[in-house]
Amino acid sequence: RESGFLTNAPTLACCALGKDYQDGGICQVNPGGVRHIQIKTGRAKQWHCPGLKRIECASANESQVLIALAGGEVIYFELDPVSGNLIEAATRDM
């Protein structure tokens, strides 16, 4: 069975999401976006960077993902405990 991980781009951050990763899945951050792999369904959802921007650094824990884009934009994602989806919660220019 395919893991859902991108293997053709460097991984900047990777984390098991949720108290039980089977429910929350796995998050993989690469320069082009944030990938949320749901273990139960095997599906992967991808958030793509806007325009030509790229992710320069990232950090994640079981319920949050924070990325910094080239140019100083910071984007914060949260794991929705009800739906199990990773949602964009806030954006700020630094």
Side-chain angles (χ1 to χ4, degrees):
R1 180 171 129 162
E2 179 67 34
S3 70
F5 271 77
L6 286 182
T7 58
N8 61 349
T11 298
L12 302 175
C14 182
C15 184
L17 295 171
K19 294 189 188 307
D20 175 4
Y21 84 94
Q22 293 285 338
D23 292 330
I26 299 171
C27 174
Q28 178 190 23
V29 181
N30 62 76
V34 178
R35 191 168 182 82
H36 179 201
I37 305 158
Q38 295 177 322
I39 302 300
K40 283 186 176 178
T41 63
R43 294 185 186 163
K45 295 180 182 178
Q46 178 82 22
W47 176 91
H48 296 280
C49 291
L52 298 175
K53 292 187 178 182
R54 289 293 192 224
I55 299 171
E56 293 191 337
C57 62
S59 183
N61 64 30
E62 69 181 25
S63 63
Q64 304 166 319
V65 179
L66 186 67
I67 60 172
L69 302 179
E73 187 176 0
V74 176
I75 303 175
Y76 170 68
F77 297 86
E78 276 186 341
L79 182 67
D80 183 333
V82 176
S83 69
N85 291 323
L86 195 60
I87 57 169
E88 185 177 331
T91 302
R92 173 167 283 166
D93 283 318
M94 302 303 264

